[in-house]
Amino acid sequence: MKLAKNRQYTVRLMAPFNMRCETCGEYIYKEKKFNARKEDVEHETYLGIRIYRFYIKCTRCLQEISFKTDPQNTDYEIEAAATRNFMALKLAEEQARRELQEEREEEANNPKKMLENRTEQSRNEIEMLEGSRGAARPEPTTADRRLHNNAAAI
């Protein structure tokens, strides 16, 4: 018995993100359980990984909402009948990634900045090594400081 390639399966899933129905304005919160239909998205893969499309129904107006997997970004992509709510964590991660990229570009284009960063990194490594070796190293006394200053003056 051969099954159709684009066959739909009924699955139980949780909403992967907060969304709002465009028809009635109902908020659908992350991790709300739904009976959904799942199908393969034809002619779409990412590095050999299949992409799936899910269909759920709004709890208030029964409008069909669809979203699909996005393996490239390890996320989901909303397709129809809903909008994704604001995600502060995702925006913060993107901002941090952008700042790191800008810092790398600046370092690559500015040799003085690159030298400063290397010097700072070396200084931190030396401090860390000295701290691990001489963790119990006593602070120099006043007499030790005077002796050191007199030796430097000679």
Side-chain angles (χ1 to χ4, degrees):
M1 186 167 136
K2 196 168 189 178
L3 298 174
K5 282 191 175 187
N6 59 353
R7 181 171 178 219
Q8 292 186 349
Y9 298 93
T10 301
V11 294
R12 182 88 168 152
L13 63 78
M14 294 174 132
F17 46 79
N18 295 328
M19 60 185 112
R20 185 173 182 200
C21 177
E22 290 179 344
T23 306
C24 66
E26 176 77 4
Y27 285 98
I28 300 170
Y29 296 100
K30 182 178 181 178
E31 299 178 2
K32 179 162 178 53
K33 290 184 179 179
F34 288 95
N35 291 323
R37 289 181 295 126
K38 176 183 107 171
E39 70 179 9
D40 289 347
V41 177
E42 291 184 22
H43 311 296
E44 274 191 60
T45 60
Y46 174 73
L47 300 176
I49 300 171
R50 280 192 252 163
I51 296 177
Y52 296 102
R53 181 175 288 121
F54 298 94
Y55 299 97
I56 61 174
K57 292 195 184 260
C58 173
T59 53
R60 185 193 288 174
C61 67
L62 300 177
Q63 171 68 35
E64 190 168 71
I65 299 169
S66 70
F67 55 90
K68 65 181 181 179
T69 58
D70 183 10
Q72 183 175 6
N73 298 317
T74 61
D75 201 7
Y76 293 85
E77 182 181 317
I78 195 87
E79 285 190 315
T83 56
R84 193 167 181 163
N85 289 1
F86 178 75
M87 292 186 52
L89 181 61
K90 186 175 181 181
L91 290 177
E93 288 173 353
E94 288 175 3
Q95 178 68 23
R97 197 176 312 121
R98 246 185 274 121
E99 288 175 358
L100 183 62
Q101 182 66 26
E102 288 174 5
E103 187 177 305
R104 286 180 182 162
E105 288 175 5
E106 181 183 347
E107 188 176 292
N109 295 334
N110 187 349
K112 185 176 180 182
K113 183 74 172 171
M114 185 172 63
L115 183 61
E116 288 174 358
N117 288 345
R118 280 190 194 162
T119 305
E120 183 68 28
Q121 187 179 12
S122 297
R123 186 177 303 129
N124 290 341
E125 288 176 4
I126 290 170
E127 287 176 1
M128 193 167 45
L129 286 173
E130 287 177 351
S132 65
R133 270 194 235 140
R137 182 182 289 173
E139 283 291 318
T141 61
T142 309
D144 291 338
R145 286 191 198 117
R146 278 195 214 130
L147 223 156
H148 179 70
N149 289 340
N150 288 340
I154 296 178

